[in-house]
Amino acid sequence: MNYRHIYHAGNFADVLKHAVLALVIEHLKLKDAPFRVIDTHAGTGRYDLASEKAQKTGEWRDGIGRLLDDTPPAEIAASLAPYLDVIRGENSGSEVRSYPGSPLIARRLMRRGDRLVVNEAHPEDAATLKEVFAKDPATKVLTIDGWSALKAVLPPKERRGIVLIDPPFEEPGEFQRLVEGLEAAHRRFATGTVILWYPIKDVRVVQSFYREAVALGIPKLLVAELFVRPPYSEGELAGTGLLILNPPFTLEAKLASLLPYLASKLARAQGANGRLEWLAGERVTSS
Ligand code: SAM
């Protein structure tokens, strides 16, 4: 296990993933009934962007670093508000030094009575994660394999909630494990919203992932992708994708305006764009 999220925290992929996570949580809050957020590959929970490791790549500068002092149109600002308000709450002024990862973003948005389960397998990162949530009775920290954790914690007793599956993609076979994870999550928690993250380097690999996901026969699968470069960018991450099972019905419309905005703000080369596609269950659209 070599992957450490500190090198990537706050980059363009985190921006899309965390903005969507925040929107899904806000949607769950429209009803009083409590919910649970489950994060199978959680990282450390909080990242110091001034640290040597974060400075080494500086990826956050082309992600969250480009967003905080912008004034987008009202519709976009409203869609980004749940996410950016958490980031602002962790920092003072428009300078971002502390970046909350998915566990802390979820925790900041939860209400009394909602629960969080976070899992991290890297021993050092798991220890940091435990410290972040040490005195928090609403959060359970697990330190096992994320794919085993997924099966162990589903379904949540609230029968409402979100599962974030955000593996590091450092070993071959991760797309296959994502498909298996999707199948397992749906089998145990068919009504839950499941967000699966994937990197896009070669779109042919991603298309084969779609085919395997569609072959599961699961309804309501929405794909949201953000390209900061043209799709066939040798070696570099061209884009980031989320496959979302059971997205809230409001999410597609929000992403239809948010994705082009993020593409224009976070572009690294000509050809940046956003893409929305229903793989199963709803109409086919793109932005
Ligand atoms: N979800 C985090 C966020 O958005 O802030 C980022 C997670 S990072 C992309 C992936 C994490 O998975 C890393 O912290 C890595 O140590 C951890 N990891 C790697 N293999 C794992 C496994 N088999 N089970 C659980 N966690 C694992």
Side-chain angles (χ1 to χ4, degrees):
M1 288 181 61
N2 293 318
Y3 182 94
R4 311 300 295 276
H5 197 62
I6 179 70
Y7 292 104
H8 311 289
N11 71 2
F12 75 93
D14 264 10
V15 167
L16 178 64
K17 172 179 57 185
H18 294 157
V20 167
L21 175 67
L23 283 172
V24 177
I25 293 175
E26 287 304 294
H27 186 83
L28 280 170
K29 285 159 67 176
L30 296 177
K31 286 191 185 153
D32 289 339
F35 60 84
R36 191 170 293 227
V37 178
I38 293 154
D39 191 343
T40 60
H41 296 72
T44 60
R46 185 185 277 119
Y47 301 91
D48 178 2
L49 299 182
S51 66
E52 201 181 313
K53 289 185 175 116
Q55 291 286 341
K56 190 169 173 193
T57 59
E59 287 189 18
W60 62 273
R61 293 180 193 283
D62 293 317
I64 188 62
R66 293 195 193 179
L67 289 189
L68 276 192
D69 49 12
D70 194 35
T71 313
E75 184 190 5
I76 310 281
S79 295
L80 282 174
Y83 164 54
L84 292 184
D85 286 351
V86 174
I87 308 295
R88 290 194 180 100
E90 287 281 310
N91 293 277
S92 50
S94 65
E95 197 66 23
V96 53
R97 173 172 173 147
S98 175
Y99 188 81
S102 50
L104 210 48
I105 291 174
R107 186 66 188 94
R108 294 284 181 258
L109 294 171
M110 281 160 44
R111 308 158 302 181
R112 188 187 290 265
D114 299 327
R115 312 277 305 177
L116 176 63
V117 179
V118 293
N119 179 73
E120 168 58 45
H122 191 289
E124 255 180 64
D125 286 357
T128 310
L129 186 65
K130 278 195 158 177
E131 273 169 36
V132 169
F133 292 104
K135 294 192 182 96
D136 181 7
T139 301
K140 183 171 181 177
V141 181
L142 303 174
T143 59
I144 59 175
D145 170 61
W147 306 106
S148 310
L150 179 70
K151 292 173 186 159
V153 302
L154 292 182
K157 81 170 182 349
E158 297 82 358
R159 304 274 161 168
R160 301 184 72 219
I162 305 168
V163 184
L164 174 63
I165 306 179
D166 184 19
F169 277 81
E170 64 177 345
E171 281 170 25
E174 207 79 303
F175 275 109
Q176 185 56 41
R177 283 187 285 278
L178 268 194
V179 174
E180 289 162 10
L182 172 62
E183 198 272 332
H186 179 260
R187 188 155 23 88
R188 288 170 170 78
F189 187 31
T191 55
T193 297
V194 182
I195 303 171
L196 302 107
W197 180 83
Y198 55 90
I200 308 174
K201 285 187 177 167
D202 181 340
V203 288
R204 287 163 299 199
V205 175
V206 177
Q207 278 158 0
S208 134
F209 165 60
Y210 298 161
R211 282 193 292 276
E212 296 201 19
V214 169
L216 296 173
I218 294 175
K220 293 202 182 150
L221 289 177
L222 179 67
V223 153
E225 292 177 344
L226 171 64
F227 289 87
V228 294
R229 307 183 164 83
Y232 290 93
S233 304
E234 201 58 38
E236 286 189 290
L237 199 59
T240 179
L242 300 171
L243 175 57
I244 309 164
L245 165 66
N246 295 323
F249 72 95
T250 49
L251 189 65
E252 181 188 8
K254 288 183 177 164
L255 285 174
S257 55
L258 190 54
L259 283 171
Y261 166 78
L262 290 178
S264 74
K265 285 301 292 182
L266 306 182
R268 302 296 306 281
Q270 283 214 330
N273 67 18
R275 216 176 72 79
L276 269 177
E277 179 184 356
W278 283 100
L279 289 188
E282 301 278 342
R283 71 199 157 84
V284 174
T285 64
S286 63
S287 68

